[in-house]
Amino acid sequence: MTGRIARRRLLAAAAVGGGALTVGGWAMAGRSLTPGQPGLLLGSRTALPQPYAVPLPVPQVLAPTHSGSTADVYEITQQTARLRILPGLETTAWTYGGTFPGPTLVSRSGRRTVVRHRNELPHPTVVHLHGGHTPHGSDGYPTALILPRGGTASAADGMPNMPGMSEAADPRGDATAERTYTYPMHQRAATLWYHDHRMGFTGANVWHGLAGFHLVHDDEEQALPLPRGEQDIPLMITDRAFAADGSFRYPALDAAQHTPGVTAPYMDGVLGDVILVNGAPWPTLTTQRLRYRLRLLNASNARRYRLALDPPPPGGGGLVQIGSDGGLLERPLAHDTLDIAPAERFDVVVDFSRYRPGTRVHLVNGLGSGSTAHVMRFDLAAARPPADDSRIPDRLSAIPAPAPQRASVTRTFHFQRRASTGWTINGSPYEPGRPLATVRLGTTERWRFVTDFHHPVHLHLDHFQVAARNGRSPGPHDAGWKDTVDLRPAESMEIVTRFTDYPGRFMLHCHNLEHEDMAMMADFVAE
Ligand code: C2O
Ligand code: CU
Ligand code: CU
């Protein structure tokens, strides 16, 4: 398909969506099957699997190929793999090391982590460590490709055909068949994740399996009596749709990956009807009546969830949040429900000893309907649990109050759909090499995000704090150090961040991956 036709489709989509608000999008969302959802449901063409029929998989922790005194070196081969996700069918996935999710990397704060990626997939990729405080050269700039083995760089690889993207800005030539990413890990203990970030094709690549956890530990966290070991479990929540033969369905405009984006009806976002946790549909976890630390990650392309325990424990407040995107909160926060937008992480402790033996506790999604209202189940043991020496301390960490008054600059970013160009930030579709802001390292800035639709806004390089939502106090799910925030239609948010180190080009973008691919992204330069 040519870029011209793709552009016409974008225009047509914009015209259909326009009218209700200043910009379109909202009207389309109003017609989608699940109200309040940023996207359109793509149904599976195969019978949906039985819920609660498979055990929760926990991704393997990757062993380093080499450990020195200050660094650990890992190797990952990106490859297609035939996975068993649905009963009796095989799903061809694009994976990190043959599994979905990819292997979990575990780093120690302050110890350099070096990850060498080799690309044996049929198309170029880019790796980004989401939440990593990473120098530009290893941050996964969207055109810094890893070419397929034996592949050659073509114009289309580096610079997909997209409205508004100027060829002149293409930093082509920075493409290799293997790429080594170096993460200094000068950052707090946190639940990070790594995923594809190729310009224009991140949505398709992540949907097909290119995502994994990367956990960081530090002394502060280690000294706390939080649940650990078998009682510390990462949960990657995604929604997917499947074709009759078991393959992933995704409405890409161009499966050969020359023209980015999805077909017009899915421009708001792609929603699937099968919920996978760690790659398994509606799994169950046999659970002791003990405290568990659950590291919740929404790795869906577009879907938001309102997670809750069903039944709630007596007295409520069953989801005790101890951390957010950027690590531990100052104090634990008890929630009945958690709203989680794409790419956000909530680190929670659930005390299953509050339930009677043998209870089946469902993790449900208040924003879903039918199959998507269910996520997974915890089957509590009937036997007496072993002694639990874990605890949730009243004080977890020290976090300075956000200080917007210290900001030297205030900038405003409008996330909106434009009839002519699609998803934009401040009216412009993404153009590599054309920064929307230049920030001085060592200074504090206040950034305002204003939306027309659901936009999970993500900032690379440094974590930030939410200072205000819609001119008032931050919401119940905005606490702690964040790198992604859940903005709903016609909202505004004020965040404060201090840019610390690492000069170069970084990204600000919407983490609805269909919006991101269709150009809701911007460079900013740190110097
Ligand atoms: Cu998780 Cu720039 O992305
Ligand atoms: Cu990121
Ligand atoms: Cu968006």
Side-chain angles (χ1 to χ4, degrees), residues 324-399:
S324 55
D325 304 336
L328 292 171
L329 301 183
E330 188 151 69
R331 295 171 183 288
L333 261 180
H335 302 276
D336 290 314
T337 61
L338 275 180
D339 286 8
I340 182 167
E344 283 192 300
R345 285 88 70 211
F346 286 90
D347 205 334
V348 302
V349 173
V350 176
D351 184 355
F352 289 104
S353 74
R354 297 175 67 188
Y355 290 96
R356 302 165 67 100
T359 309
R360 290 173 160 183
V361 183
H362 297 77
L363 185 65
V364 296
N365 170 25
L367 298 178
S369 59
S371 65
T372 62
H374 306 272
V375 179
M376 67 171 288
R377 196 174 74 189
F378 300 93
D379 290 355
L380 304 198
R384 256 185 85 172
D388 192 350
D389 51 11
S390 76
R391 231 166 22 83
I392 309 175
D394 290 337
R395 197 182 162 81
L396 298 160
S397 185
I399 296 188

Side-chain angles (χ1 to χ4, degrees), residues 199-215:
M199 189 164 95
F201 304 100
T202 297
N205 287 347
V206 171
W207 186 272
H208 285 82
L210 291 175
F213 280 102
H214 192 145
L215 312 181

Side-chain angles (χ1 to χ4, degrees), residues 14 35 77 115 119 125 142 146 150 203 208 264 270 301 326 512:
T77 300
V115 190
N119 182 3
T125 59
I146 320 176
H208 285 82
V270 181
N301 283 32
N512 175 315

Side-chain angles (χ1 to χ4, degrees), residues 164 333 407 447 473 524:
L333 261 180
W447 287 17
S473 321
F524 70 93

Side-chain angles (χ1 to χ4, degrees), residues 283-303:
T284 60
L285 179 68
T286 304
T287 307
Q288 304 275 359
R289 289 174 49 246
L290 299 171
R291 286 182 202 88
Y292 280 69
R293 177 177 183 175
L294 305 175
R295 300 169 183 260
L296 302 163
L297 159 66
N298 179 358
S300 308
N301 283 32
R303 184 179 288 281

Side-chain angles (χ1 to χ4, degrees), residues 200-351:
F201 304 100
T202 297
N205 287 347
V206 171
W207 186 272
H208 285 82
L210 291 175
F213 280 102
H214 192 145
L215 312 181
V216 185
H217 296 303
D218 66 8
D219 295 341
E220 178 187 48
E221 177 207 38
Q222 219 81 24
L224 298 174
L226 295 168
R228 59 184 75 210
E230 307 260 279
Q231 288 150 253
D232 176 355
I233 301 179
L235 299 176
M236 178 189 286
I237 303 172
T238 57
D239 59 338
R240 294 290 185 265
F242 295 89
D245 64 357
S247 59
F248 287 121
R249 282 193 82 194
Y250 186 77
L253 272 181
D254 177 8
Q257 296 207 345
H258 294 295
T259 302
V262 292
T263 58
Y266 292 94
M267 194 173 162
D268 281 351
V270 181
L271 308 175
D273 56 0
V274 176
I275 307 296
L276 305 176
V277 184
N278 293 344
W282 303 288
T284 60
L285 179 68
T286 304
T287 307
Q288 304 275 359
R289 289 174 49 246
L290 299 171
R291 286 182 202 88
Y292 280 69
R293 177 177 183 175
L294 305 175
R295 300 169 183 260
L296 302 163
L297 159 66
N298 179 358
S300 308
N301 283 32
R303 184 179 288 281
R304 296 171 68 239
Y305 300 81
R306 178 163 297 156
L307 300 174
L309 297 170
D310 178 28
L319 297 163
V320 180
Q321 186 188 357
I322 56 165
S324 55
D325 304 336
L328 292 171
L329 301 183
E330 188 151 69
R331 295 171 183 288
L333 261 180
H335 302 276
D336 290 314
T337 61
L338 275 180
D339 286 8
I340 182 167
E344 283 192 300
R345 285 88 70 211
F346 286 90
D347 205 334
V348 302
V349 173
V350 176
D351 184 355

